[in-house]
Amino acid sequence: MALDPDSLSNDVLMVLNEPDTLLYISAESVKELVVAYKKKRLGTKKWKTAEEMVKAIEDVFYVQILPLKKEHLETFSRLRTNDAMAHNDPSDHMIISHAITEDMTLVSSDTRFPFYRRQGLKLLYNER
């Protein structure tokens, strides 16, 4: 959304442009963003520091960072993984668990995520 708005599908843009839409991001996603920033793979030209990037999530983009709680870990512990597509990324599984537990729609372009709909994931797939 911040670095490549052209990669967003019309369906996702419609949701983002709704005046009543509240946007949230999992603390696990923020951790992944910080790691990518520190490895110089993300946003190093837009922000001077990783901390500045984290602050911009809420202060510039008005996306609330949701902390991880015990309930999210319980969902994570029950989650069946998409072994058929070799989906073994624990951060992805935590983000999916966060969305399932909070009963929130997750926006993603990851082709392995639709598998988790059977476990309660509400997914808005961002087809590029």
Side-chain angles (χ1 to χ4, degrees):
M1 179 176 89
L3 297 175
D4 190 11
D6 292 336
S7 71
L8 299 175
S9 70
N10 288 334
D11 290 342
V12 171
L13 287 171
M14 259 182 21
V15 170
L16 293 177
N17 290 325
E18 281 292 319
D20 294 336
T21 297
L22 299 175
L23 300 175
Y24 299 92
I25 188 169
S26 172
E28 186 71 19
S29 294
V30 176
K31 180 197 85 174
E32 285 192 313
L33 292 171
V34 169
V35 169
Y37 182 94
K38 288 182 174 186
K39 290 182 177 180
K40 305 210 183 315
R41 288 190 239 151
L42 175 76
T44 53
K45 292 179 181 164
K46 188 170 182 82
W47 298 287
K48 292 179 181 149
T49 65
E51 183 180 7
E52 186 180 304
M53 179 186 65
V54 171
K55 287 180 180 180
I57 291 169
E58 290 188 329
D59 298 344
V60 176
F61 297 102
Y62 306 106
V63 178
Q64 184 178 346
I65 300 171
L66 292 178
L68 293 170
K69 300 178 183 174
K70 180 181 91 167
E71 294 82 7
H72 306 121
L73 295 169
E74 290 170 349
T75 302
F76 178 75
S77 70
R78 291 190 303 270
L79 193 71
R80 292 181 318 281
T81 59
N82 188 351
D83 296 331
M85 294 182 83
H87 189 209
N88 55 7
D89 183 333
S91 288
D92 282 356
H93 298 150
M94 193 69 244
I95 293 163
I96 291 165
S97 297
H98 207 165
I100 291 170
T101 304
E102 296 297 329
D103 197 30
M104 293 180 160
T105 301
L106 177 64
V107 176
S108 178
S109 300
D110 194 314
T111 58
R112 298 167 296 191
F113 281 26
F115 169 87
Y116 299 95
R117 285 180 170 142
R118 288 179 264 159
Q119 296 178 69
L121 178 64
K122 293 178 183 174
L123 177 66
L124 176 53
Y125 183 70
N126 181 56
E127 191 164 348
R128 296 181 186 185

